[in-house]
Amino acid sequence: DIQAGSLTLGGAFNHSGASSITAGAITASGGGSGSGTLALASGATLSLTGGTYTLATGTAITGAGLYQINGGTVSVNGAVSAGTVALDSGTVNGAGTLSFTGAMTWTGGSMSDASGTTSVLAGKTLTISGGTAKGLGRLLDNAGTVTWTGGAINTSGAGTVVTNQAGGQFNIQTDGTISGDGGGNEVITNAGTMTKSVATGTTTVASTVTFNNTGTVDLQTGVLALGGGGASTGDFTMAAGTRVDFTGAYTLNAGVDITGAGVAKVVGTTLTIGGAVSAQNLELPSGTLTGAGTLTTTGTLTWTGGTMSGSGTTDIAAGGTLAISGGAVTLSPRRLNNFGTINWTGTGNINVGGAVLVLDNKAGALFNIQNDQAIAGDGGGAEQFTNAGTVRKTVATGVTTVASTVTFDNTG
């Protein structure tokens, strides 16, 4: 029982049974072991600065005092609980589960061992801060609140490295990067709420990290770039001026809603629509939108390049707009159903294919042609353009061509 002052130990520090530090500080650099209960009173500190310190199953570090890892290794061999913890440098490893019953701060060092878990319990917090990169090679399981304000997170182990549970909150307040080690994709799974705020630049999930979402991604500021692909059955809420960039192959499954004044953007990759999906604002400047599902856009779909393909449909909702501009775009063999307004400008053709109905302008809808380009078929059989609404040509004074391989049927 340490009651006052400070003590520096160059040898091993071991505790078992019921131990306590009621005041002052112990600095230990020689490793050691722990079991039973270690009570750290408010204002007391245990600082581990070197060696390997092994915590046995059932170890409980309690109280409002600080348990600081500032070098060396803390090896968690079973179920261990700890109150106020600071990981400033050094390593937490081991196959056990370290659960926080208070607040943890992580400013440096690493958490490793793919068979182990670091658990933030419901109602508890983890703050990841400082400019130093952090290494994450074990599962970070969050049922409380994680707030990331600084420093890259470098993941490893080719397994699930972050799980944000239903009810968990993961706050991103930095334009940092979550990267992988290249040995196989690490995985982030969000079943709770992941919110980006404060930082106005781009937060990047690298091409070696998969991001799966069954909860809510809430973008309040800046850009979230999902480079490693993944899949979602959860929603994306997008404040004005925000954007989610799909830069790795991604699947949006049935029930996904992308809402708000922000934009979802397909950047040179494949976005697969796996079921009924709704998006308020979407940009397709390159890459491919495909899949058997129906994508309904309710705000503005901006199409400046790339391809829409697959057996599904893209529906422009009543009151929605599709702006086709820039160079050539390809619609093959996906069907484009227009219930709203299409504005076709720019210098490129609409290249269609698949010998199916590809353009269906519904009753009450408007298809504005404002260029002298062509709707061109692929020659493999006649594609169809059906108009039950209004097709209007304005602005351009030359010839707009519906090619000989494309049938145009008009009831509007």
Side-chain angles (χ1 to χ4, degrees):
D1 181 4
I2 306 299
Q3 298 183 358
S6 61
L7 176 64
T8 299
L9 298 175
F13 174 75
N14 302 313
H15 71 83
S16 60
S19 305
S20 65
I21 303 175
T22 55
I26 293 178
T27 300
S29 60
S33 63
S35 61
T37 300
L38 175 62
L40 300 176
S42 179
T45 299
L46 174 61
S47 181
L48 307 175
T49 61
T52 298
Y53 191 74
T54 302
L55 298 178
T57 299
T59 301
I61 300 164
T62 64
L66 178 63
Y67 188 85
Q68 182 185 39
I69 304 165
N70 201 22
T73 299
V74 173
S75 183
V76 180
N77 283 354
V80 172
S81 63
T84 303
V85 178
L87 176 57
D88 297 326
S89 65
T91 301
V92 173
N93 70 10
T97 297
L98 175 61
S99 299
F100 299 112
T101 58
M104 178 183 179
T105 59
W106 186 12
T107 61
S110 63
M111 291 193 274
S112 63
D113 197 327
S115 58
T117 299
T118 298
S119 180
V120 183
L121 301 178
K124 310 307 176 183
T125 63
L126 165 62
T127 301
I128 307 170
S129 63
T132 303
K134 290 85 178 167
L136 181 61
R138 69 195 280 117
L139 173 62
L140 174 58
D141 185 36
N142 177 48
T145 300
V146 174
T147 301
W148 174 31
T149 64
I153 299 175
N154 300 324
T155 68
S156 60
T160 300
V161 288
V162 176
T163 297
N164 192 43
Q165 293 186 18
Q169 176 70 51
F170 196 111
N171 295 314
I172 300 171
Q173 299 178 359
T174 177
D175 296 325
T177 298
I178 300 176
S179 64
D181 64 358
N185 271 30
E186 285 73 49
V187 178
I188 297 171
T189 299
N190 176 50
T193 300
M194 187 165 288
T195 301
K196 178 168 183 187
S197 62
V198 182
T200 57
T202 300
T203 301
T204 301
V205 179
S207 61
T208 50
V209 181
T210 300
F211 182 87
N212 295 324
N213 176 47
T214 60
T216 298
V217 176
D218 176 21
L219 295 185
Q220 299 179 6
T221 61
V223 177
L224 177 63
L226 302 178
S232 181
T233 56
D235 296 337
F236 295 78
T237 61
M238 318 275 297
T242 66
R243 196 175 72 234
V244 57
D245 286 353
F246 297 111
T247 56
Y250 208 86
T251 299
L252 299 177
N253 287 308
V256 172
D257 288 320
I258 302 174
T259 59
V263 175
K265 185 175 183 179
V266 183
V267 185
T269 191
T270 298
L271 181 65
T272 300
I273 308 301
V277 172
S278 175
Q280 187 166 333
N281 299 306
L282 181 70
E283 293 181 2
L284 179 59
S286 60
T288 300
L289 189 152
T290 192
T294 297
L295 171 66
T296 301
T297 59
T298 59
T300 300
L301 169 56
T302 303
W303 190 11
T304 57
T307 299
M308 293 192 198
S309 66
S311 59
T313 64
T314 299
D315 290 357
I316 311 303
T321 300
L322 167 60
I324 307 173
S325 62
V329 297
T330 299
L331 183 63
S332 175
R334 191 174 190 84
R335 180 186 296 188
L336 176 59
N337 292 324
N338 180 36
F339 298 87
T341 300
I342 296 177
N343 295 315
W344 178 27
T345 63
T347 58
N349 292 344
I350 299 176
N351 298 315
V352 299
V356 294
L357 175 61
V358 287
L359 287 168
D360 192 355
N361 197 48
K362 300 290 189 178
L366 176 61
F367 193 116
N368 278 320
I369 301 171
Q370 300 177 356
N371 62 20
D372 296 326
Q373 303 305 313
I375 299 175
D378 64 1
E383 287 73 46
Q384 302 163 43
F385 180 178
T386 299
N387 174 50
T390 300
V391 175
R392 177 181 296 148
K393 178 166 181 181
T394 61
V395 182
T397 58
V399 177
T400 300
T401 303
V402 178
S404 61
T405 52
V406 180
T407 300
F408 181 84
D409 296 322
N410 179 45
T411 60

